[in-house]
Amino acid sequence: MSENGDDASHQLRVSKIHNGTVIDHVRAGQALNVLAILGIDGGDGESVSVGMNVPSDRLARKDIVKVEGRELSQDEVDVLSLIAPDATINIVREYDVVEKHRVERPDAVSGVLSCPNSGCITTADEPVTSRFEVLKDGVRCGYCGTIVREGIADQIDT
Ligand SMILES: [Zn+2]
């Protein structure tokens, strides 16, 4: 096995965490948005490490995010899929990858994105829970129809 092979280096990096989640094959430049989505700020004993612009077989360059002591919820994975559609989620327990799957784009996400349209009912004083339909190349507000293609990460409700 080549030392520079994606699998070999991947295994090496994954094996470094004890219990937690490794998010691999994140599009280069999106790692910090991934952290934002997960609400990770390094507090509460969470140990996070980020690799940026790592050479990859599947993508030209990728980011990789390792979160010690935390497994992602389905909601988090759903939002993650919007900005990192190629990502692979590796669940690690006792240094072993016990689960590995690619993210799947959901049909819709609720309560995680805010609508950029200031006239939208979801941004009113007593807002209703936002709901966005997931399109091939973006998301569409279920209330006012505003489509967000670029900058989805900026619309994440934190
Ligand atoms: Zn809207």
Side-chain angles (χ1 to χ4, degrees):
M1 196 185 288
S2 156
E3 211 170 276
N4 295 322
D6 196 43
D7 279 351
S9 55
H10 174 73
Q11 283 305 332
L12 188 67
R13 283 191 298 269
V14 168
S15 67
K16 280 184 190 164
I17 76 168
H18 185 183
N19 291 297
T21 306
V22 175
I23 306 156
D24 199 0
H25 298 107
V26 175
R27 282 183 183 169
Q30 295 293 335
L32 296 180
N33 287 332
V34 168
L35 296 183
I37 285 175
L38 302 180
I40 288 169
D41 55 10
D44 294 335
E46 281 172 337
S47 160
V48 180
S49 56
V50 174
M52 292 190 188
N53 280 312
V54 181
S56 165
D57 286 347
R58 216 201 285 164
L59 306 166
R61 293 272 161 176
K62 67 177 182 182
D63 289 353
I64 182 166
V65 176
K66 296 187 293 182
V67 187
E68 179 75 51
R70 168 121 167 236
E71 293 180 14
L72 304 189
S73 70
Q74 189 58 49
D75 273 357
E76 289 172 325
V77 173
D78 283 352
V79 184
L80 198 63
S81 73
L82 300 178
I83 63 152
D86 309 297
T88 311
I89 307 289
N90 299 270
I91 306 292
V92 178
R93 290 180 197 142
E94 296 296 323
Y95 301 104
D96 277 332
V97 176
V98 294
E99 219 178 280
K100 178 175 180 169
H101 55 91
R102 290 185 71 166
V103 297
E104 283 178 32
R105 288 166 80 83
D107 295 333
V109 290
S110 290
V112 289
L113 299 173
S114 61
C115 186
N117 171 11
S118 59
C120 181
I121 189 172
T122 61
T123 62
D125 285 344
E126 290 182 36
V128 300
T129 302
S130 71
R131 186 173 190 284
F132 282 81
E133 186 188 339
V134 177
L135 312 173
K136 260 203 190 97
D137 60 346
V139 294
R140 175 165 56 208
C141 178
Y143 290 92
C144 71
T146 297
I147 292 178
V148 182
R149 289 196 175 85
E150 304 294 325
I152 289 175
D154 296 334
Q155 301 305 131
I156 292 163
D157 237 340
T158 48

